[in-house]
Amino acid sequence: EDQVTQSPEALRLQEGESSSLNCSYTVSGLRGLFWYRQDPGKGPEFLFTLYSAGEEKEKERLKATLTKKESFLHITAPKPEDSATYLCAVQGGSEKLVFGKGTKLTVNP
Amino acid sequence: GAVVSQHPSWVICKSGTSVKIECRSLDFQATTMFWYRQFPKQSLMLMATSNEGSKATYEQGVEKDKFLINHASLTLSTLTVTSAHPEDSSFYICSATPGSSSYEQYFGPGTRLTVT
């Protein structure tokens, strides 16, 4: 059974204080690992797809990396508008996405 | 691009009534659409997968007769919650994937259902 575990559950940062979110996974035949951002009362917003170990992708202050067992979402010099819940999901042999519970990030000004 | 809409964004209904939620892909054709449910402080749980013109595939534990899914076209899927009860109150989110060349799912903004 595919599983995703995200840590920490919640993270508070000061504006400009860089940090990383972790996503550990077990999956049978990884098709892709996905990162989404979800604001309260909204649907998830797509951020990145990673397909193979060693792959990295960047978007503004975010950088996602992937190994065979985990993925990191690095946030460099975060701003208050980066506050959200960040969701990690894996897609294995089927088209189904299996989500972690997310990391709630709060960036204080 | 890859915009998915949902309607309504929120709905309140009385116990025993039925509610229909629409999910539309606005700028692409969605071969597959997915319906999720999310409880407060919980992750998204897949309810069912639907392909245009085919019967939906429901996840284990999801009642087919209670949650009716219709995927009548490549841009529209509907979820009908029949004989709703308070325990059906939740945040329902749909997603769509553009096609076999992409594994990425694009999500709608969600529908908040409250059953009184």
Side-chain angles (χ1 to χ4, degrees), chain A residues 7-66:
Chain A
S7 61
E9 289 186 15
L11 180 62
R12 285 185 176 272
L13 300 173
Q14 288 298 122
E15 184 172 1
E17 179 186 1
S18 301
S19 187
S20 297
L21 312 182
N22 177 265
C23 170
S24 297
Y25 67 92
T26 55
V27 65
S28 176
L30 180 70
R31 283 192 177 186
L33 183 140
F34 303 82
W35 282 99
Y36 289 87
R37 168 190 170 130
Q38 187 175 26
D39 292 303
K42 302 284 183 63
E45 174 189 346
F46 172 76
L47 293 175
F48 303 108
T49 309
L50 301 168
Y51 295 104
S52 58
E55 190 174 1
E56 298 183 353
K57 288 193 176 175
E58 287 188 65
K59 178 180 179 180
E60 296 182 354
R61 295 178 292 282
L62 301 177
K63 178 181 177 181
T65 62
L66 180 66

Side-chain angles (χ1 to χ4, degrees), chain B residues 4-15:
Chain B
V4 177
S5 70
Q6 277 183 247
H7 178 80
S9 56
W10 59 270
V11 58
I12 301 173
C13 70
K14 292 187 176 180
S15 186

Side-chain angles (χ1 to χ4, degrees), chain A residues 31-32 34 36 38 41-46 48-49 51 57 87-88 91 95-97 99-102, chain B residues 32 34 36 38 41-44 46 49 51 59 91 93 97 99 103-110 112:
Chain A
R31 283 192 177 186
F34 303 82
Y36 289 87
Q38 187 175 26
K42 302 284 183 63
E45 174 189 346
F46 172 76
F48 303 108
T49 309
Y51 295 104
K57 288 193 176 175
L87 300 172
C88 172
Q91 190 175 50
E95 290 180 310
K96 297 191 297 185
L97 288 180
F99 281 86
K101 293 185 176 181
Chain B
T32 306
F34 304 85
Y36 294 83
Q38 186 176 35
K41 298 187 179 181
Q42 297 294 316
S43 190
L44 282 76
L46 180 65
T49 302
N51 291 290
E59 294 300 298
F91 192 51
I93 310 175
T97 186
Y103 299 137
E104 295 160 2
Q105 291 183 24
Y106 296 92
F107 286 81
R112 173 73 59 191

